[in-house]
Amino acid sequence: MRVVLKVGSSTIVDPDTGFIALSNLARIVEVICELQRSGIRVILVTSGAVALGQRVLKLPARPKETALKQACAAVGQGRLMRVYDDLFMQFNQPVAQVLLTREDVAELSHYRSICRTINELLSLGVVPIINENDTTSTAEIRFGDNDTLSGLVAGMVDAQWLFLLTDCLLHTANPRTDPNATPIYEVENMEQLLQAVDVTGSGTSVGTGGMATKLSAAQLATATGCSTAICLGKHPDHIFRIIRGERLATVFRGRRPTSMRDRKWWIRHGLTQRGCVLVDSGAERSLLHSASLFAAGIVGVRGPFGAMSAVSIVSAATNAVLGCGLVNYSSKEIEHIKGVKSERIYELLGYCDAEEVIHRQNLVLVHHRPASPGSSPSPSPSPSPPRTSSPPPLSGTREAGGVACIAVVPFSPNSQQVQVVAASVGVGVGVGGDVEAGGSCAASD
């Protein structure tokens, strides 16, 4: 069995003093070592570098400026790993540091290299300690928070459990302000849950996450069959009992995993949206029967993007997100060829890279949900690759040169919560998330 443990800044660092909560961290390390001895392989996703750097640099509050935050991360990451290494060495447990950025996951060869490295570390009995590389990450390429990162890692390593250690369980309301709030122990329907409870609010002074980001992580993990538990960081020993079925955490049971693995999982969750294409009802019906998307069925384009970017596919009639995929043409090219038969592409462009705009092998369908009215992506332009006298290879043979597709969709008309629907190669259904927001009970990351 493989499990991913995500430990937030509020568990590692005392939000009042800024000092490392050594007793909490020592208990977590001891539990991880017990899991390792029992044959369960553990991947630790940790926050805390920025918070530790903030204290060392004697800053009064968590920095908001990117450069200052990166400086704090550079100062704090070494200290964080030194503490982990000292604690794990008390149990003769080797550990390894793995720092990731969104760019690492967005490049397929890098993504596969990360997976191979983590798998090799696990086979050697090493505990990988993963953190986002805040020193080099910018706002445009960040995962957003380590809850999202932990959900992605759980999918990458085929984990059976994801444990999000925090300071409170999910409740029907904020227990700090509502005395009638009751804990939720089992979640069967995520959509009904989000309409019934309030997950808006902020984390602690040392964290960036909240309950909303934890629910997004749960969506990412459960889509691959990985069960997710939001549990108390001060009681890491509960992990054994939660696995046995005791009601000590908010548990989201993993759905039957889809067939999307490796490159498909990478495109679905590793890429960032560049834009979207609007399709007519005929194309919508064809897509539901696993067809490719052709120019004849496209009625509009939103957002500039280059060829081989990932974009969302939206119904022009209902504004519902139908799916996502990798496009063979740029937004400017699609504007020229939309609504025409494939045989006219060469006539209009002077070349024909592919008959289809999105090949069915580079497309994934998602649950139908209304997109935000009037919303459209606002990405930076991505230049199209240079043309040559001979047509380039067909769909699927060119590496995506950057990041590509995540569509943000409201869960309900009156809700501030959002669903992040991302692209995937191959046909499949699922939801995911990369939501930077606050959470219920003011839970921290």
Side-chain angles (χ1 to χ4, degrees), residues 190-204:
M190 180 74 78
E191 298 171 22
Q192 292 180 1
L193 168 75
L194 287 166
Q195 293 176 5
V197 302
D198 176 22
V199 293
T200 59
S202 59
T204 66

PDB file of all heavy atoms in Angstrom, residues 190-204:
ATOM      1  N   MET A 190     -19.749  14.693  -3.504  1.00  0.00           N
ATOM      2  CA  MET A 190     -19.025  15.948  -3.334  1.00  0.00           C
ATOM      3  C   MET A 190     -19.876  17.153  -3.725  1.00  0.00           C
ATOM      4  O   MET A 190     -19.837  18.200  -3.084  1.00  0.00           O
ATOM      5  CB  MET A 190     -17.752  15.920  -4.171  1.00  0.00           C
ATOM      6  CG  MET A 190     -16.908  17.174  -4.072  1.00  0.00           C
ATOM      7  SD  MET A 190     -16.021  17.316  -2.516  1.00  0.00           S
ATOM      8  CE  MET A 190     -14.664  16.176  -2.811  1.00  0.00           C
ATOM      9  N   GLU A 191     -20.677  17.031  -4.774  1.00  0.00           N
ATOM     10  CA  GLU A 191     -21.466  18.161  -5.243  1.00  0.00           C
ATOM     11  C   GLU A 191     -22.505  18.568  -4.208  1.00  0.00           C
ATOM     12  O   GLU A 191     -22.671  19.758  -3.913  1.00  0.00           O
ATOM     13  CB  GLU A 191     -22.138  17.804  -6.568  1.00  0.00           C
ATOM     14  CG  GLU A 191     -21.140  17.493  -7.683  1.00  0.00           C
ATOM     15  CD  GLU A 191     -21.815  16.947  -8.912  1.00  0.00           C
ATOM     16  OE1 GLU A 191     -23.028  17.197  -9.070  1.00  0.00           O
ATOM     17  OE2 GLU A 191     -21.141  16.283  -9.707  1.00  0.00           O
ATOM     18  N   GLN A 192     -23.202  17.591  -3.649  1.00  0.00           N
ATOM     19  CA  GLN A 192     -24.187  17.910  -2.618  1.00  0.00           C
ATOM     20  C   GLN A 192     -23.516  18.505  -1.390  1.00  0.00           C
ATOM     21  O   GLN A 192     -24.052  19.417  -0.754  1.00  0.00           O
ATOM     22  CB  GLN A 192     -24.972  16.659  -2.244  1.00  0.00           C
ATOM     23  CG  GLN A 192     -25.882  16.152  -3.349  1.00  0.00           C
ATOM     24  CD  GLN A 192     -26.649  14.905  -2.941  1.00  0.00           C
ATOM     25  OE1 GLN A 192     -26.516  14.414  -1.816  1.00  0.00           O
ATOM     26  NE2 GLN A 192     -27.444  14.373  -3.853  1.00  0.00           N
ATOM     27  N   LEU A 193     -22.340  18.000  -1.066  1.00  0.00           N
ATOM     28  CA  LEU A 193     -21.614  18.520   0.090  1.00  0.00           C
ATOM     29  C   LEU A 193     -21.300  19.999  -0.084  1.00  0.00           C
ATOM     30  O   LEU A 193     -21.524  20.812   0.804  1.00  0.00           O
ATOM     31  CB  LEU A 193     -20.311  17.732   0.268  1.00  0.00           C
ATOM     32  CG  LEU A 193     -19.308  18.339   1.253  1.00  0.00           C
ATOM     33  CD1 LEU A 193     -19.772  18.114   2.688  1.00  0.00           C
ATOM     34  CD2 LEU A 193     -17.922  17.775   1.055  1.00  0.00           C
ATOM     35  N   LEU A 194     -20.793  20.369  -1.257  1.00  0.00           N
ATOM     36  CA  LEU A 194     -20.380  21.744  -1.491  1.00  0.00           C
ATOM     37  C   LEU A 194     -21.565  22.708  -1.507  1.00  0.00           C
ATOM     38  O   LEU A 194     -21.422  23.885  -1.206  1.00  0.00           O
ATOM     39  CB  LEU A 194     -19.598  21.837  -2.800  1.00  0.00           C
ATOM     40  CG  LEU A 194     -18.192  21.247  -2.723  1.00  0.00           C
ATOM     41  CD1 LEU A 194     -17.605  21.072  -4.112  1.00  0.00           C
ATOM     42  CD2 LEU A 194     -17.292  22.119  -1.888  1.00  0.00           C
ATOM     43  N   GLN A 195     -22.744  22.205  -1.856  1.00  0.00           N
ATOM     44  CA  GLN A 195     -23.921  23.049  -1.824  1.00  0.00           C
ATOM     45  C   GLN A 195     -24.490  23.168  -0.419  1.00  0.00           C
ATOM     46  O   GLN A 195     -25.214  24.116  -0.106  1.00  0.00           O
ATOM     47  CB  GLN A 195     -24.985  22.487  -2.774  1.00  0.00           C
ATOM     48  CG  GLN A 195     -24.572  22.562  -4.242  1.00  0.00           C
ATOM     49  CD  GLN A 195     -25.572  21.913  -5.172  1.00  0.00           C
ATOM     50  OE1 GLN A 195     -26.634  21.467  -4.744  1.00  0.00           O
ATOM     51  NE2 GLN A 195     -25.243  21.851  -6.445  1.00  0.00           N
ATOM     52  N   ALA A 196     -24.127  22.220   0.455  1.00  0.00           N
ATOM     53  CA  ALA A 196     -24.705  22.201   1.794  1.00  0.00           C
ATOM     54  C   ALA A 196     -23.841  22.880   2.839  1.00  0.00           C
ATOM     55  O   ALA A 196     -24.341  23.325   3.865  1.00  0.00           O
ATOM     56  CB  ALA A 196     -24.974  20.748   2.218  1.00  0.00           C
ATOM     57  N   VAL A 197     -22.527  22.949   2.620  1.00  0.00           N
ATOM     58  CA  VAL A 197     -21.638  23.521   3.630  1.00  0.00           C
ATOM     59  C   VAL A 197     -20.902  24.722   3.066  1.00  0.00           C
ATOM     60  O   VAL A 197     -20.772  24.875   1.850  1.00  0.00           O
ATOM     61  CB  VAL A 197     -20.617  22.482   4.140  1.00  0.00           C
ATOM     62  CG1 VAL A 197     -21.317  21.279   4.718  1.00  0.00           C
ATOM     63  CG2 VAL A 197     -19.654  22.062   3.034  1.00  0.00           C
ATOM     64  N   ASP A 198     -20.426  25.557   3.960  1.00  0.00           N
ATOM     65  CA  ASP A 198     -19.672  26.747   3.597  1.00  0.00           C
ATOM     66  C   ASP A 198     -18.183  26.446   3.745  1.00  0.00           C
ATOM     67  O   ASP A 198     -17.719  26.136   4.840  1.00  0.00           O
ATOM     68  CB  ASP A 198     -20.068  27.904   4.511  1.00  0.00           C
ATOM     69  CG  ASP A 198     -19.241  29.154   4.244  1.00  0.00           C
ATOM     70  OD1 ASP A 198     -18.690  29.269   3.131  1.00  0.00           O
ATOM     71  OD2 ASP A 198     -19.163  30.006   5.146  1.00  0.00           O
ATOM     72  N   VAL A 199     -17.461  26.522   2.648  1.00  0.00           N
ATOM     73  CA  VAL A 199     -16.020  26.288   2.717  1.00  0.00           C
ATOM     74  C   VAL A 199     -15.244  27.548   2.370  1.00  0.00           C
ATOM     75  O   VAL A 199     -14.094  27.499   1.971  1.00  0.00           O
ATOM     76  CB  VAL A 199     -15.571  25.125   1.794  1.00  0.00           C
ATOM     77  CG1 VAL A 199     -16.118  23.816   2.283  1.00  0.00           C
ATOM     78  CG2 VAL A 199     -15.976  25.388   0.351  1.00  0.00           C
ATOM     79  N   THR A 200     -15.885  28.694   2.502  1.00  0.00           N
ATOM     80  CA  THR A 200     -15.169  29.948   2.304  1.00  0.00           C
ATOM     81  C   THR A 200     -14.568  30.381   3.615  1.00  0.00           C
ATOM     82  O   THR A 200     -15.056  30.047   4.686  1.00  0.00           O
ATOM     83  CB  THR A 200     -16.120  31.040   1.793  1.00  0.00           C
ATOM     84  OG1 THR A 200     -17.167  31.224   2.758  1.00  0.00           O
ATOM     85  CG2 THR A 200     -16.732  30.647   0.472  1.00  0.00           C
ATOM     86  N   GLY A 201     -13.524  31.111   3.534  1.00  0.00           N
ATOM     87  CA  GLY A 201     -12.799  31.536   4.730  1.00  0.00           C
ATOM     88  C   GLY A 201     -11.320  31.354   4.502  1.00  0.00           C
ATOM     89  O   GLY A 201     -10.894  30.756   3.525  1.00  0.00           O
ATOM     90  N   SER A 202     -10.512  31.822   5.399  1.00  0.00           N
ATOM     91  CA  SER A 202      -9.067  31.798   5.184  1.00  0.00           C
ATOM     92  C   SER A 202      -8.397  30.797   6.094  1.00  0.00           C
ATOM     93  O   SER A 202      -8.977  30.316   7.060  1.00  0.00           O
ATOM     94  CB  SER A 202      -8.484  33.190   5.440  1.00  0.00           C
ATOM     95  OG  SER A 202      -8.758  33.588   6.759  1.00  0.00           O
ATOM     96  N   GLY A 203      -7.164  30.499   5.777  1.00  0.00           N
ATOM     97  CA  GLY A 203      -6.357  29.633   6.615  1.00  0.00           C
ATOM     98  C   GLY A 203      -5.732  30.431   7.741  1.00  0.00           C
ATOM     99  O   GLY A 203      -6.165  31.525   8.082  1.00  0.00           O
ATOM    100  N   THR A 204      -4.687  29.888   8.314  1.00  0.00           N
ATOM    101  CA  THR A 204      -4.019  30.581   9.410  1.00  0.00           C
ATOM    102  C   THR A 204      -3.008  31.577   8.872  1.00  0.00           C
ATOM    103  O   THR A 204      -2.784  31.678   7.678  1.00  0.00           O
ATOM    104  CB  THR A 204      -3.296  29.570  10.321  1.00  0.00           C
ATOM    105  OG1 THR A 204      -2.234  28.975   9.571  1.00  0.00           O
ATOM    106  CG2 THR A 204      -4.236  28.502  10.815  1.00  0.00           C
TER     107      THR A 204
END
